[in-house]
Amino acid sequence: MKNPTSRNANRMIDVIFVHPKHRSYVIWHDGVFYQLTRMNLTQKAWDRRAVYDGLLDEIFVAKESCEQGETDERAWQELGLNVVKLPDELHSITASKFLAWWTVNRYGFWHAKDARDVSDKDMQNLPEPTAEQKPQQKIQQEVGAEQQVSASTTQQSAMDNKASKNGDVMDNAVQTNQANQALTEQTQMQVSPKSTHKPHKPLEQLSGDDIFDALLDDLVDEVSHLR
């Protein structure tokens, strides 16, 4: 049984070169260089290809071999070409330098390409999330819930602050009322009490014990003034 790494290393690729002087493409296909009539890779141009017999230092790796789109890949596959993406640093090197690079690095190139292909295939075959909602939707809902909680917390804090201010106002009003009452009572206590003696009628209008009581009151008042 042959070593599978040897088979991978010996796999061939098709590389597109450009000939600046002739303004045409040169394709390295199955180990042979073919020159086209012009710089136009179509089925008609590929059918009229001829073996390139010029110098390898006169042709250079074209950007199409390093920069590829899906449209280019489909067009080359229709022509039966296996044009794979080369590293960017190979762009514009001569064909002789490319062959030297390929001899040394072809095994590593195929190994890295196969690993990328397997990784891309696995990513494409990943199942859709089985949960009722996708992660992005779940994140959006969680963010919305957090915003609602934050808004509710802010509103509750504002209500608490308002209630606290109202309580302070009521407390101040009660304290002010109590102070006013205390001041009123103190003022009333400081006012000189009125005389408890009832004014009596003139003596000529009194009789009996009333006359004696009136005279006694007058005597007490005079003694008080003498002290």
Side-chain angles (χ1 to χ4, degrees):
M1 179 178 180
K2 294 182 180 180
N3 188 340
T5 59
S6 298
R7 291 203 305 270
N8 290 339
N10 292 328
R11 287 157 58 185
M12 298 300 298
I13 62 173
D14 297 330
V15 183
I16 302 175
F17 295 85
V18 61
H19 198 305
K21 292 181 180 180
H22 296 169
R23 295 183 180 180
S24 63
Y25 283 131
V26 176
I27 310 299
W28 187 52
H29 176 64
D30 289 339
V32 180
F33 288 92
Y34 294 97
Q35 183 173 0
L36 307 185
T37 55
R38 62 184 62 184
M39 197 174 293
N40 188 14
L41 188 55
T42 61
Q43 185 65 57
K44 183 177 181 180
W46 179 245
D47 292 339
R48 298 174 59 183
R49 65 186 181 276
V51 176
Y52 175 71
D53 56 358
L55 298 176
L56 296 181
D57 289 337
E58 292 182 351
I59 57 177
F60 305 87
V61 175
K63 66 178 182 179
E64 288 83 355
S65 288
C66 302
E67 301 176 4
Q68 300 177 11
E70 294 181 358
T71 303
D72 297 330
E73 292 179 356
R74 287 195 297 268
W76 296 330
Q77 289 174 359
E78 292 176 358
L79 298 177
L81 298 176
N82 183 30
V83 181
V84 297
K85 185 179 184 304
L86 297 176
D88 294 337
E89 59 267 20
L90 297 182
H91 179 215
S92 297
I93 67 172
T94 62
S96 58
K97 290 182 179 179
F98 165 76
L99 292 177
W101 178 89
W102 180 250
T103 301
V104 176
N105 297 281
R106 56 184 179 176
Y107 166 73
F109 172 83
W110 285 120
H111 179 75
K113 183 179 183 305
D114 292 341
R116 287 195 303 269
D117 292 343
V118 171
S119 177
D120 293 341
K121 185 177 180 180
D122 291 341
M123 291 296 295
Q124 293 175 358
N125 294 333
L126 286 178
E128 291 290 333
T130 56
E132 295 182 358
Q133 56 184 354
K134 294 183 178 180
Q136 184 65 24
Q137 295 175 343
K138 185 176 181 181
I139 292 174
Q140 292 176 354
Q141 291 182 2
E142 290 178 352
V143 171
E146 291 179 356
Q147 292 177 350
Q148 292 179 357
V149 171
S150 178
S152 177
T153 302
T154 303
Q155 184 177 5
Q156 184 64 34
S157 178
M159 294 176 63
D160 293 342
N161 291 335
K162 185 176 181 181
S164 178
K165 291 181 179 179
N166 292 336
D168 293 340
V169 172
M170 294 180 64
D171 292 341
N172 292 334
V174 171
Q175 293 177 0
T176 302
N177 188 24
Q178 292 177 352
N180 291 335
Q181 291 180 356
L183 181 60
T184 301
E185 293 176 357
Q186 185 177 1
T187 303
Q188 292 176 353
M189 292 178 64
Q190 292 176 354
V191 175
S192 300
K194 295 182 180 179
S195 174
T196 58
H197 301 288
K198 297 180 179 179
H200 51 77
K201 297 179 180 179
L203 294 178
E204 61 272 11
Q205 296 180 5
L206 300 177
S207 63
D209 294 337
D210 293 335
I211 295 175
F212 177 79
D213 291 338
L215 293 175
L216 181 62
D217 290 339
D218 292 337
L219 181 60
V220 171
D221 290 338
E222 290 178 3
V223 173
S224 298
H225 287 299
L226 291 176
R227 291 180 180 178

